[in-house]
C-alpha cells in the first residue's frame, strides 16, 4: 500500500512541473504536454532481459512511461510502444510499432518484430507501475514457469486483479476482485489458472508459439487463451503479489483525499520521525460515550505527537466504517488478529523503532 501511495505522490508532483499559468498569474487547466513528452528519455539496454510493451495512444502512454521511469527497476529492459502510428509519441530510447492497440494478437506480434528480449510484458496506457514491479516479476520467473502475472489495484486502492480461477461450472472469476484496501492482504505468490494479459511476464518462445496457432485475440479472451496454451505446454502460470500495477481511474486529487486519503497520509508520514507506537485494542476500546471520547482524544494526541501510530483493533472492529475515522486521522489500522503471521511481520519490521506499545 505504501508503494502505491508513494507512486501517486511522485506522479502528481511530476505532473505539477508542467502546469502552466495564465498571464494574470492564476493557475490554468493547461498542461504543457509537449514539454512533458520531451522530458522522457530511456537509455537503451545493450542486452535487455524484458521487452516492456505499452499499447495505447498519446497522453495515456506518456503517463505510463513516466511511471516506468520512476519504477527504479534494476532489470535491463527495452520499451516498445504499439498503437496507431500518428498517435504515438516520439521518445528517445523507445521503439514503436503500428497495430490496433485493442487487438492483443496484433500488439504482441508487432512488438516481437521490433524487440529481442527473452521475456515480454504488456501494459495498457491506463496503467502505472509501482516501484520494483519488474524486479518482482523476474524474480518469480523460472524454467518451469511460462507466465508471471502482476497484481493490479485501482486508483482508489481496490483490488482489480490477483489471478483468475476456473470454477467447476467453467466460469472464470478474478481472485479477490473489488476488495477494498486493508482486505486484500492475501499473502504469498501462488499458482493460478489464468490472468489478465496486462502486466503478465511471458516467456518469448511460448508467446511466439501461441501467436502462430491463433489468428486474433481480444483483451477479454487473450489472457485465458494464452494461459491455457502455456499450461498445456507443461509450464506454470503464477502470480507475483508484490508486482503491483495501478489502474488509473483519473480521480482528482481533491476527490482522492476523500476516496483514498493515502497520498496525503504519506506526505504527513514522511515529515515524521522514525518513532512508532503500537496500540492494542483493549487499551482504547470504548465502554460508553465517555470511554469513546477518551479513546479518540488519546489516539489524536498520539497522532499529533510526531509518531507513526499503528492501531490493532479488536477482531470485530477491523473493518470499515469503524476504522475510517482513524484512517482519516493518519492512524494506521492493522488488519491482522493477535498471533497472526501478519502481525508478527509488522512487529519484526519495526524492530528497534517502536517507542512503546500501549496495552492492557
Amino acid at each position: 500500500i505504501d508503494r502505491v501511495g508513494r507512486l501517486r505522490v511522485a506522479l502528481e508532483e511530476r505532473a505539477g512541473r508542467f502546469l502552466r499559468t495564465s498571464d494574470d498569474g492564476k493557475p490554468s487547466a493547461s498542461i504543457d504536454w509537449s514539454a512533458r513528452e520531451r522530458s522522457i528519455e530511456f537509455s537503451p539496454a545493450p542486452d535487455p532481459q524484458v521487452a516492456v510493451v505499452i499499447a495505447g495512444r498519446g497522453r495515456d502512454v506518456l503517463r505510463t512511461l513516466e511511471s516506468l521511469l520512476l519504477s527504479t527497476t534494476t532489470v535491463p529492459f527495452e520499451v516498445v510502444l504499439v498503437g496507431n502510428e500518428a498517435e504515438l509519441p516520439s521518445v528517445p530510447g523507445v521503439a514503436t510499432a503500428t497495430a490496433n492497440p485493442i487487438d492483443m494478437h496484433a500488439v504482441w506480434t508487432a512488438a516481437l518484430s521490433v524487440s529481442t528480449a527473452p521475456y515480454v510484458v504488456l501494459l495498457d496506457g491506463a496503467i502505472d507501475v509501482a516501484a520494483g514491479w519488474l524486479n518482482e516479476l523476474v524474480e518469480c520467473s523460472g524454467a518451469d514457469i511460462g507466465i508471471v502475472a502482476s497484481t493490479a489495484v485501482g486508483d482508489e486502492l481496490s483490488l482489480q486483479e490477483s489471478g483468475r480461477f476456473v470454477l467447476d461450472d467453467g466460469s472464470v472469476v478474478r481472485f479477490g476482485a473489488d476488495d477494498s484496501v486493508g482486505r486484500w492482504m492475501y499473502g504469498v505468490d501462488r499458482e493460478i489458472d489464468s490472468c489478465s494479459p496486462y502486466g503478465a511476464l511471458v516467456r518469448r518462445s511460448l508467446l511466439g508459439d501461441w501467436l502462430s496457432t491463433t489468428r486474433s485475440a481480444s483483451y477479454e479472451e487473450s489472457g485465458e487463451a494464452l494461459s491455457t496454451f502455456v499450461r498445456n505446454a507443461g509450464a506454470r502460470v503464477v502470480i507475483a503479489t508484490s508486482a503491483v500495477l495501478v489502474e488509473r481511474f483519473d480521480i482528482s486529487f481533491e476527490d482522492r483525499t476523500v476516496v483514498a486519503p493515502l497520498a496525503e497520509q504519506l506526505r504527513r508520514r514522511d515529515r515524521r520521525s522514525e518513532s512508532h507506537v503500537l496500540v492494542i485494542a483493549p487499551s482504547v476500546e470504548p465502554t460508553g460515550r465517555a470511554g469513546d471520547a477518551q479513546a479518540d482524544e488519546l489516539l489524536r494526541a498520539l497522532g499529533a505527537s510526531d509518531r507513526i501510530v499503528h492501531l490493532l483493533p479488536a477482531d470485530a472492529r477491523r473493518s470499515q466504517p469503524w476504522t475510517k475515522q482513524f484512517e482519516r486521522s493518519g492512524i494506521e489500522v492493522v488488519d491482522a488478529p493477535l498471533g497472526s503471521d501478519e502481525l508478527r511481520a509488522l512487529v519484526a519490521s519495526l524492530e528497534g523503532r517502536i517507542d512503546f506499545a500501549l496495552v492492557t
Side-chain angles (χ1 to χ4, degrees):
I1 296 173
D2 270 6
R3 283 196 292 172
V4 175
R6 293 186 191 283
L7 170 65
R8 279 281 157 263
V9 172
L11 290 174
E12 286 165 1
E13 290 176 346
R14 178 180 173 84
R17 291 165 42 193
F18 303 98
L19 181 66
R20 300 300 180 239
T21 57
S22 57
D23 293 338
D24 58 6
K26 296 180 179 179
S28 68
S30 173
I31 292 179
D32 190 340
W33 286 100
S34 296
R36 202 162 168 176
E37 179 177 334
R38 292 193 300 270
S39 71
I40 302 174
E41 181 176 352
F42 289 86
S43 301
D47 188 21
Q49 191 173 356
V50 181
V52 178
V53 181
I54 304 175
R57 61 182 184 179
R59 295 171 180 177
D60 284 341
V61 166
L62 282 180
R63 295 165 71 182
T64 301
L65 287 171
E66 287 177 329
S67 75
L68 189 57
L69 277 176
L70 295 172
S71 67
T72 61
T73 180
T74 58
V75 174
F77 64 90
E78 55 185 335
V79 185
V80 181
L81 299 183
V82 181
N84 299 319
E85 185 176 4
E87 298 176 329
L88 294 177
S90 177
V91 177
V94 174
T96 59
T98 302
N100 183 350
I102 63 173
D103 183 342
M104 299 295 98
H105 186 281
V107 168
W108 270 312
T109 300
L112 290 183
S113 70
V114 296
S115 63
T116 60
Y119 286 95
V120 179
V121 61
L122 176 67
L123 297 176
D124 178 73
I127 287 176
D128 297 325
V129 299
W133 154 79
L134 197 56
N135 293 68
E136 300 284 357
L137 289 178
V138 172
E139 288 174 7
C140 284
S141 63
D144 65 331
I145 297 175
I147 296 179
V148 184
S150 298
T151 296
V153 300
D155 199 312
E156 39 41 306
L157 297 179
S158 61
L159 184 66
Q160 301 296 303
E161 184 81 31
S162 190
R164 301 180 181 188
F165 293 95
V166 180
L167 303 182
D168 291 341
D169 62 1
S171 60
V172 177
V173 296
R174 292 179 293 150
F175 183 72
D178 299 323
D179 271 359
S180 60
V181 60
R183 292 193 60 197
W184 43 272
M185 305 197 310
Y186 293 112
V188 297
D189 305 336
R190 61 190 180 280
E191 193 160 356
I192 54 178
D193 292 330
S194 67
C195 60
S196 166
Y198 295 122
L201 183 80
V202 187
R203 208 185 306 161
R204 184 189 186 93
S205 57
L206 284 171
L207 179 59
D209 290 343
W210 175 69
L211 291 172
S212 67
T213 65
T214 183
R215 288 188 173 183
S216 64
S218 65
Y219 163 75
E220 290 80 8
E221 62 188 17
S222 60
E224 293 168 22
L226 177 57
S227 298
T228 300
F229 181 87
V230 166
R231 288 191 285 107
N232 289 341
R236 297 163 58 207
V237 180
V238 301
I239 187 153
T241 52
S242 296
V244 178
L245 304 177
V246 182
E247 293 190 14
R248 200 184 306 126
F249 293 166
D250 282 327
I251 301 174
S252 69
F253 182 76
E254 290 77 12
D255 291 339
R256 190 177 296 121
T257 58
V258 176
V259 177
L262 184 61
E264 183 56 33
Q265 287 185 31
L266 285 167
R267 281 191 175 94
R268 291 200 302 266
R269 176 173 175 164
D270 285 340
R271 293 195 293 266
R272 297 176 182 174
S273 66
E274 286 293 284
S275 174
H276 296 251
V277 178
L278 180 63
V279 181
I280 309 299
S283 303
V284 297
E285 192 168 5
T287 56
R289 289 188 177 180
D292 196 9
Q294 289 175 343
D296 290 346
E297 183 180 355
L298 172 62
L299 287 169
R300 280 197 300 269
L302 287 173
S305 67
D306 235 20
R307 296 181 174 91
I308 300 172
V309 181
H310 310 270
L311 172 63
L312 180 65
D315 287 354
R317 299 198 171 195
R318 286 203 315 276
S319 61
Q320 293 184 0
W322 191 82
T323 61
K324 188 173 294 186
Q325 58 178 315
F326 300 112
E327 292 164 355
R328 286 176 172 170
S329 301
I331 305 295
E332 299 186 354
V333 180
V334 181
D335 185 14
L338 285 169
S340 66
D341 290 339
E342 291 90 346
L343 182 58
R344 290 191 184 98
L346 171 66
V347 174
S349 69
L350 297 177
E351 185 175 359
R353 291 186 291 163
I354 296 181
D355 251 10
F356 58 88
L358 187 62
V359 297
T360 57

